Amino acid sequence: MRPVFAALLLAWLTLGAAGADPTRNTLAGHFLVARESMRDSRFAQSVIVIVRDDENGTLGLVVNRLVGRASFAEIHRELGLPGDPPDGDIDLYMGGSVQPGVGLIIHSGEFSKEDTIAVPGGIGLSRLRSVLAARASGDGPRAAIFIFGYARWEPEQLDAELARDDWDTVLTDLAIVFDTPRGELWDRVRLLRGLDL
């Protein structure tokens, strides 16, 4: 993960929330689900967790675009983390085309560190480094998705895409993202359209 980009991203997420217009309807904490008619092939059958949505724009992370696997040991070596890494491999997801070198973790809400941002819907967002360091010391979240890059929309850009029916929005407990096989997530979330759970 490039620390400068990650720091700027997390600063935007944290500081922007304080200045957000409280009367504006926000999609933060919603799933954004590509419709079958999605014209942009990069987002076909995508399920996106919306982390921020305010007057500065919208930021989300695709959570069902698997791009590879890596061992915890390999990632620990590359990041120069102390301690012994957990055994096994992890799935790596492409969260979007913006800054694909930035590593982030969407994780279960019980885990929190200084850099963790609580996302409406019962989950958290943290830097890759802090979660891996916590796991190496026997701590860490119950569930996590390892993501590189993110999706970003300028103000009103996503509204235009919603108006032309590229996406559906779904408000539900975002923790279902950890309990649903990736290949089934798009279908499962689409079934929740129109339901407030």
Side-chain angles (χ1 to χ4, degrees):
M1 173 201 282
R2 291 181 270 177
V4 174
F5 287 131
L8 290 173
L9 173 64
L10 288 167
W12 179 71
L13 287 167
T14 305
L15 298 176
D21 178 359
T23 63
R24 183 186 185 283
N25 291 332
T26 181
L27 292 176
H30 286 67
F31 281 119
L32 188 64
V33 186
R35 288 193 171 185
E36 291 177 339
S37 58
M38 168 60 71
R39 302 170 212 189
D40 188 336
S41 60
R42 295 173 303 165
F43 290 113
Q45 296 191 349
S46 287
V47 177
I48 297 175
V49 170
I50 298 296
V51 176
R52 275 286 303 286
D53 178 52
D54 59 25
E55 72 277 5
N56 297 312
T58 304
L59 185 141
L61 299 159
V62 180
V63 291
N64 66 333
R65 186 80 65 219
L66 181 66
V67 291
R69 288 180 67 78
S71 69
F72 280 108
E74 179 184 353
I75 292 176
H76 270 252
R77 248 192 334 271
E78 287 185 19
L79 295 177
L81 294 173
D84 295 325
D87 292 331
D89 296 336
I90 55 174
D91 291 331
L92 304 176
Y93 292 86
M94 180 55 68
S97 59
V98 181
Q99 294 184 0
V102 171
L104 299 167
I105 308 280
I106 289 181
H107 55 78
S108 46
E110 87 288 347
F111 176 81
S112 182
K113 291 292 183 188
E114 286 183 9
D115 69 347
T116 300
I117 296 165
V119 179
I123 64 173
L125 174 69
S126 299
R127 291 184 203 159
L128 177 68
R129 179 178 289 273
S130 65
V131 174
L132 289 177
R135 284 197 165 185
S137 65
D139 193 7
R142 174 189 62 80
I145 300 172
F146 295 75
I147 296 176
F148 290 88
Y150 56 91
R152 179 147 193 257
W153 292 263
E154 295 299 323
E156 301 182 16
Q157 182 182 359
L158 182 56
D159 294 334
E161 293 180 15
L162 288 165
R164 71 174 186 235
D165 294 329
D166 286 345
W167 304 97
D168 285 314
T169 60
V170 178
L171 179 61
T172 188
D173 181 354
L174 294 181
I176 70 168
V177 75
F178 304 117
D179 304 320
T180 306
R182 299 301 95 180
E184 299 173 15
L185 187 61
W186 184 67
D187 286 324
R188 180 168 180 195
V189 175
R190 288 176 71 232
L191 290 175
L192 298 174
R193 289 174 298 182
L195 302 176
D196 284 336
L197 303 177

